[in-house]
Structure formats: C-alpha cells, structure tokens
Amino acid sequence: MTRLGVEIGGLSLKNPVLTASGCFGYGLEYDDFYDVAELGGICTKGLSLHPRAGNPPERICETPAGMLNAIGLANVGVEAFCRDKLPILRERGVTVVANIFASSIADFVAITERLNRETGVAAVELNVSCPNVSEGGIEFGKDARMCGEVTRAVRSVTKLPVWVKMSPEAGNIVAVARACEEAGADAITAINTIRGMSIDVEQNKLRLANRTGGFSGPALRPIALRIVWEIAGAVSIPVIAIGGVSTTRDALEFLLAGATAVQVGTANFADPSAAKRVVDGLRAHCETRNVTVKSLIGSAR
Ligand SMILES: Cc1cc2nc3c(=O)[nH]c(=O)nc-3n(C[C@H](O)[C@H](O)[C@H](O)COP(=O)(O)O)c2cc1C
C-alpha cells in the first residue's frame, strides 16, 4: 500500500480521487489531458438497461458557484458500454466504477447481471438519487426501505462491491445510509445534486426545459461536508464524498471529516485536469508531512 492508497470494502484504490458520474463521460474523452489510469478510479455516466436520449435542451446552465443540469440520464446503455467503452478502459488499466440507474429493482438487477459477465468493472455504484427523471431516481433515494430493497437485490446477484449514492433530499439521510449498509452495501457515496431552478429575466423564460435541474459545484460543498460527516459517524462502511471538490484542500476537508475517498464532478468542466491536480496535490501534502492518506481519514472528528 502506497502513501496515497485506500481500501473501500475489498477494493484497493491507488489513491482516493475518482471522477464523479456524469462529469467525465466514459473516461475515454480525457486522453489529451492526462493518463486517466493515474486516478483512483472513474465513475461512468449513469448506465441504464437500454440507451436513453435524456431530456430535451436546454439541459444545463451556469449559476453563481455552480451549475444546474437536467440531462435526464442520456447514455449509451449497458450493452454498448460493455462492447465499445469498457474494453478500452480495461486495456488502459483504468479502475472503472459502473454507475447504474433504473426505474425498477428488476432493471437494477438486470444491468448488474450484464456487468457481471465482464472483467474490468471494479464496483457498481447505484444511482438511487437522480433528480432529473420522472420515474425511479430520487423517489428511491428518499426512502430508506426502498433503498435497502434495491441494495439487497443487487447485492444478492453480484460479487462486485456495491456502492449506493445518496440523495441530499432524503429527509433522514442517515437512516437511508444505514438501511443500505444493513442490506449489504460496501460503501456509501454522498451526495448527488440538489434540485434547483433558474429564470432568464430578459426573456422571462425558465433556463431549463425540464424546469428544474440538479445543482452541483462549489456551493454544494458545505452541505455535502455536513452530510458526509453525519453518515461517516453513523455507518461502519466507507463513505465516498462528492460535492464541489475542485482543489486539494477541498478533498482534504472531506478526508478529515471521515470520507475514505472523494469524487470530482463539476470541476472537470472548468478544468479537465482537475482530478489529476487533486491527486498531485494530495501526494505533495502527504510527502511534506510524511503521512499517509489513511492516517488523515476522520482525523478532524
Ligand atoms: C452534468 C451532470 C451529469 C450528472 N450525471 C450523473 C449520473 O449520470 N449519475 C449520477 O449518479 N450522478 C450524476 N451527476 C451527479 C454528480 O456525479 C455529483 O454527484 C454531483 O454533481 C455533485 O458533485 P460536484 O459538485 O463535484 O459536481 C451528474 C452531475 C452533473 C453536473
């Protein structure tokens, strides 16, 4: 285990920095910037059983200190991912976390069973918290019993580590995280976006065709930090933090609060090398202080 290495369930990551789902394509689009295999891992765009076109435009807009998106889980579908994307990622030695989405438990299971047939998938991340789709999504994520059921069903059909991604809109997010832990989750990832809106006052028109969108970016970070702190204090499985990470200091904040790893999302749109910068920054931080990342986890608690 190196200075930066962490363990999440049975999975060893070379460093605690991943890219967040939906903010890094399928990981193949960033070749011009750096070797993606240097990251702890990438989370794919949410994969569904069948390809999805997503919502009509406009689907994204900028806000102060963040952005709104209502992509609606546009993706190539699990079959095309396994055929066209995964082999390249596997060959390049990228640690791939398959983020998956479905509107029924049966489809969550079917996607997982398809992924089971492949090598090169390191873990499955269940998106039970998307705010931009009419069925499934956040309705699963708000309900501890439903989240537990989805987790249990996926757990029962795979040996892959199962991560479950929390919605900040769950009333009692700690109860949801605990239900997922009891159902066999290997890690909790937190958080997904929070629903927001924006109006173009010149045109007197909503900026997003979907009316609302998921809010992400730097302004989300204090909320995510509070939630990660609460969940890390309540479960004994690792917590992976997401929400407004764009610098090494941001990542450190989450690690000190008890996260075992972080995911970099919206920051990739402003700086495609953001996640790599965080890895390099963490390495420098740990070398200067002669500490390991592991020793930092939860040290501010
Ligand atoms: C354009 C966009 C698309 C996203 N798509 C997904 C997705 O497919 N699945 C998912 O679980 N989360 C998705 N997310 C949520 C992010 O993975 C992340 O949880 C959220 O943006 C907060 O992190 P950030 O502030 O670093 O962006 C998406 C976010 C954005 C901005």
Side-chain angles (χ1 to χ4, degrees), residues 114-166:
R114 178 64 192 85
L115 292 168
N116 280 342
R117 295 181 4 224
E118 300 292 327
T119 52
V121 177
V124 188
E125 181 179 56
L126 310 183
N127 177 4
V128 286
S129 44
C130 180
N132 301 318
V133 287
S134 51
E135 283 172 34
I138 206 164
E139 296 315 320
F140 279 132
K142 283 181 176 172
D143 186 313
R145 190 182 56 80
M146 282 300 298
C147 272
E149 274 182 38
V150 175
T151 307
R152 191 167 290 107
V154 170
R155 170 78 292 152
S156 70
V157 297
T158 191
K159 292 195 172 66
L160 290 170
V162 177
W163 302 358
V164 190
K165 186 161 176 178
M166 298 290 109

Side-chain angles (χ1 to χ4, degrees), residues 224-292:
L225 187 66
R226 185 265 301 169
I227 289 173
V228 164
W229 177 281
E230 286 178 3
I231 296 176
V235 299
S236 42
I237 52 178
V239 179
I240 300 160
I242 324 166
V245 175
S246 54
T247 68
T248 303
R249 294 182 82 89
D250 302 340
L252 281 166
E253 243 191 312
F254 282 114
L255 294 169
L256 302 188
T260 301
V262 299
Q263 296 182 11
V264 178
T266 299
N268 292 295
F269 297 119
D271 173 7
S273 300
K276 173 69 165 55
R277 244 191 319 102
V278 175
V279 175
D280 293 342
L282 282 179
R283 185 177 297 111
H285 179 91
C286 289
E287 276 169 8
T288 308
R289 288 163 181 75
N290 195 22
V291 293
T292 61

